[in-house]
């Protein structure tokens, strides 16, 4: 009897151990690594040409989105273009709704908040005024109404301590949701100047040079990079390695050359 009881207990323990192993496997599913990824969701401002914008046909395109499309093609990923409210970019990234912020995103001063790629564009923040304006320098903005995009790198530059005395002379510093509306306000005379990224300024000047002009003195200089969730180095490294390949085989500059009207071929810095 004892022999049969011992055999029975051994069988029960064996089944229990197998069940325990199976249970632990189900409780610890495999993580989604860059190698196993099938989609790549890019968060961008749909009204931020030439980096990301909506065409008259309703499609989303731009320099950054073209780069992202090539990165996805080389990695076998499906590109998901996700327009976002720029003020909600951190929430979108941290919640996992997007995999990165890739849309003329300034890295300077944000290095401890995101895991960044290497910078790929050297950018400046400039002032744009009406073509017939008597404003020639930053000092001439005293008593004027200046506007910029909420949550933008231009606003960050204006809020820097080094610009406190300058901003104090403005009649107002207004914030607006998008630069297209800012340029309409400037044209209508509601505002006297726009603080804006040079790429966006050149996009507007390319078709409206008779209405606007850019001051020679930049507000500040900065660099653009791709922002990933802090700590997501694996995905950052995979995307960076692909971009480096694109630089080496000339594809990166081939894409940049489509945007010579905005001086992007002169502004890119990756690989230089």
């Amino acid at each position: 009897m004892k022999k049969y009881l011992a055999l029975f207990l051994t069988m029960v323990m064996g089944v229990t151990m197998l069940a325990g192993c199976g249970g632990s496997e189900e409780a610890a599913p495999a993580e989604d690594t860059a190698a196993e990824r099938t989609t790549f969701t890019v968060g961008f401002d749909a009204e931020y040409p030439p980096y990301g914008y909506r065409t008259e046909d309703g499609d989303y395109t731009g320099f950054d989105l073209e780069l992202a499309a090539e990165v996805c093609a080389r990695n076998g990923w499906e590109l998901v273009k996700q327009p976002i409210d720029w003020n909600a970019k951190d929430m979108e990234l941290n919640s996992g709704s997007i995999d990165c912020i890739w849309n003329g995103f300034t890295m300077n001063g944000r290095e401890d908040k995101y895991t960044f790629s290497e910078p790929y564009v050297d950018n400046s923040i400039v002032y744009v005024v009406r073509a017939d304006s008597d404003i020639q320098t930053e000092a001439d903005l005293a008593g004027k109404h200046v506007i910029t995009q909420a949550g933008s790198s231009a606003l960050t530059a204006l809020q820097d301590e080094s610009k406190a005395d300058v901003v104090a002379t403005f009649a107002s510093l207004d914030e607006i949701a998008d630069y297209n509306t800012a340029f309409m306000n400037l044209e209508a005379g509601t505002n006297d100047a726009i603080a804006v990224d040079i790429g966006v300024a050149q996009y507007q000047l390319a078709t409206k040079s008779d209405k606007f002009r850019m001051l020679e003195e930049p507000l500040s200089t900065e660099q653009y990079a791709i922002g990933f969730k802090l700590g997501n180095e694996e995905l950052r490294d995979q995307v960076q390695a692909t971009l480096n390949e694109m630089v080496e085989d000339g594809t990166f500059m081939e894409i940049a050359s489509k945007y010579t009207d905005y001086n992007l071929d002169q502004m890119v810095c990756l690989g230089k």
Side-chain angles (χ1 to χ4, degrees):
M1 176 64 73
K2 290 182 179 180
K3 181 172 72 173
Y4 290 118
L5 179 59
L7 179 61
F8 174 74
L9 290 174
T10 301
M11 291 174 64
V12 170
M13 290 177 63
V15 171
T16 303
M17 290 177 63
L18 287 173
C21 292
S24 62
E25 287 179 358
E26 292 176 1
E31 294 183 0
D32 178 25
T33 64
E36 298 167 339
R37 179 175 296 276
T38 58
T39 62
F40 183 58
T41 303
V42 171
F44 68 100
D45 180 350
E47 297 187 37
Y48 199 67
Y51 299 97
Y53 59 96
R54 192 169 190 168
T55 67
E56 293 181 357
D57 296 330
D59 297 326
Y60 294 116
T61 189
F63 177 56
D64 287 349
L65 292 179
E66 286 202 53
L67 291 176
E70 181 64 21
V71 166
C72 286
R74 296 188 180 208
N75 284 284
W77 301 335
E78 175 189 354
L79 173 61
V80 179
K81 304 174 184 179
Q82 183 60 57
I84 59 173
D85 178 345
W86 199 244
N87 283 327
K89 58 185 178 295
D90 291 342
M91 179 190 68
E92 298 278 5
L93 184 64
N94 292 326
S95 69
S97 298
I98 59 176
D99 293 312
C100 70
I101 302 169
W102 194 344
N103 193 210
F105 190 39
T106 304
M107 67 182 297
N108 308 82
R110 293 170 168 152
E111 292 88 346
D112 60 343
K113 296 181 179 179
Y114 307 88
T115 291
F116 278 108
S117 69
E118 295 177 24
Y120 63 96
V121 167
D122 277 323
N123 189 51
S124 295
I125 304 298
V126 298
Y127 293 109
V128 175
V129 298
R130 288 184 297 279
D132 60 356
S133 173
D134 59 356
I135 299 171
Q136 300 296 331
T137 68
E138 186 176 65
D140 296 333
L141 293 172
K144 305 297 184 181
H145 297 277
V146 180
I147 192 169
T148 192
Q149 186 183 41
S152 67
S153 52
L155 179 61
T156 300
L158 287 169
Q159 291 175 334
D160 189 86
E161 291 183 4
S162 64
K163 290 295 180 181
D165 291 342
V166 172
V167 174
T169 68
F170 296 170
S172 68
L173 175 57
D174 304 324
E175 299 179 35
I176 202 160
D178 62 86
Y179 277 125
N180 286 338
T181 306
F183 275 94
M184 286 191 287
N185 284 3
L186 179 62
E187 185 174 356
T190 307
N191 289 95
D192 302 299
I194 302 175
V196 60
D197 302 76
I198 192 171
V200 178
Q202 289 171 333
Y203 177 84
Q204 294 287 343
L205 292 172
T207 56
K208 297 181 180 179
S209 59
D210 59 324
K211 296 181 179 179
F212 308 122
R213 62 180 171 81
M214 185 168 57
L215 300 191
E216 292 184 6
E217 179 185 2
L219 192 164
S220 68
T221 57
E222 62 183 16
Q223 292 181 313
Y224 286 165
I226 310 163
F228 298 86
K229 185 176 180 179
L230 190 64
N232 192 358
E233 296 179 357
E234 182 181 6
L235 182 57
R236 186 274 310 275
D237 291 347
Q238 181 65 39
V239 172
Q240 186 64 61
T242 307
L243 285 173
N244 292 343
E245 292 174 2
M246 291 164 57
V247 169
E248 291 177 5
D249 65 25
T251 306
F252 188 94
M253 284 305 301
E254 183 180 329
I255 294 173
S257 67
K258 298 179 182 181
Y259 300 90
T260 54
D261 288 347
Y262 319 119
N263 207 32
L264 272 179
D265 57 325
Q266 301 300 314
M267 295 164 63
V268 295
C269 60
L270 187 62
K272 294 184 179 180

